[in-house]
Amino acid sequence: MDQFDLIVIGAGPGGYVGALEAAGMGKKVAVVERREVGGTCLNRGCIPTKALLRASRVYREAREGADLGITVSGASYNWETMHQRVDQVTATLRGGIEALFKKGKITLLQGMGRVEREGVVSVDGVEYGADHILLAVGSKPARIPIPGLDLPGVVTSDEMLEGIVDCKRLAIIGGGVIGVEFAQVYSDLGCEVTVIEALPRILNNMDREIGQNLTMILKKRGVGVHVGCAVSEVVSQDGALVCRFTEKDKPAEVQADKVLVCTGRRPETEHVFAPGVGPELTRGYVTVDEHGATSMPGVYAVGDIVAGGVQLAHAAESEAKNAVHHMFGQGLDKDISVIPGCVFTDPEIAVAGLTQDEAKAAGRAVYVKKNLTSSNGKSVVEGAERGFAKLVFDSESRALVGAHIMCPHASEMIGALTAAIVNGLTEEQLGRTVFPHPTVSEILMID
């Protein structure tokens, strides 16, 4: 039986980053993957959606360029070509990961990985020994128990990104990050889009102004947004799918060619452990300590399968580095107390740390500094709509504890704000910063 210092199950962001980190320490590493390297993020998530968002934005801007003095006649789009571009991007990035594996002398084992017992992993029945095991198997779309979600034409994000889903009318159940990004893509392409969200607002876990502003922007672009609505069923009727729901205690329905279900994700832990084997689980999620260690000796877990964790690629990467450093006695590396999040709508949205409401609920006294994109030169030039930057400071220490921005290039700006939160920078320290002009980043000036 081949023996490794570390066997990683799952080659997504958490898995491949953890493997590369261990290989960089001179460890003998194997990675088990039943599908493509890169995981959901690269193949059925972050990267494909961003490629489609770029394409759809270019199409919308071509059609709406008259205000800039640009007129494009006969603008059209081709789904097949768009997906070919997506395939090219993902293939290039997969090749990069595989090249890094070869450079790090990491063994890639294709097949279904399973923890058989302490220190032993099987891949399609062949057993391998490991001093340490890192579980990074990710998650998959969840389907809530609504009648009709098994009908043809009802899809999840996986199906939307694995093939061409061309339609004129799209109903989206769920107004979280995945739902609003697909709403952006399809509305930009001229599709009739309706978003149905059970919670009081879309992007409900973010600052309330973000969800409110995005709702107004989407509605202005023709997207139907229905919040506080419980979907009761999806039925097939006269060649269409009918999504029925309750809005303000009244029955309502919307007809669509396709229904996209974006109601969360669930961990891929069903087949990772042999019968009677495995660490402590919480509703299918793996319970870990602050180092990522599970209750099973030598076994660590990171990413989407961690109980109470953040289901984001960069969170998995940071957790993987910390887990590898701990298992090989290197100490913690990344501060994962503040994980930024981004939404790639137009305008972009990026957040980190506490919202004002969260601070209030925790009994923490805070104050807010806010600037609008309407007063920012570069944002006005770029045609930004209803954007802002909201910085939340602790009233006593005056340290930055939260940042919530909705503006062009927000995703590129949130990293610096996250660093400021992690390092406890105060309002006075941030106020001494000089920002270049004209840039959107000037919206962060608080003096």
Side-chain angles (χ1 to χ4, degrees), residues 140-215:
K140 59 186 175 183
R143 286 181 182 256
I144 56 179
I146 296 175
L149 294 195
D150 56 347
L151 288 172
V154 179
V155 297
T156 68
S157 57
D158 278 3
E159 291 82 54
M160 294 291 277
L161 295 171
E162 287 177 337
I164 298 171
V165 179
D166 190 8
C167 60
K168 299 301 182 185
R169 299 173 298 174
L170 175 66
I172 302 174
I173 302 176
V177 174
I178 297 172
V180 298
E181 288 190 350
F182 274 109
Q184 176 85 60
V185 170
Y186 279 81
S187 65
D188 280 356
L189 297 176
C191 180
E192 182 181 310
V193 178
T194 305
V195 178
I196 307 167
E197 170 57 57
L199 295 173
R201 61 182 183 273
I202 60 175
L203 300 179
N204 194 73
N205 64 330
M206 295 185 180
D207 181 273
R208 64 176 57 250
E209 285 191 75
I210 288 174
Q212 292 167 348
N213 281 10
L214 184 60
T215 294

Side-chain angles (χ1 to χ4, degrees), residues 79-91:
W79 267 114
E80 185 174 346
T81 304
M82 289 168 65
H83 275 272
Q84 286 174 354
R85 171 60 178 161
V86 170
D87 292 342
Q88 290 171 359
V89 169
T90 55

Side-chain angles (χ1 to χ4, degrees), residues 403-419:
H404 313 275
I405 53 179
M406 185 175 188
C407 59
H409 318 298
S411 63
E412 304 296 341
M413 295 159 57
I414 198 64
L417 292 169
T418 304

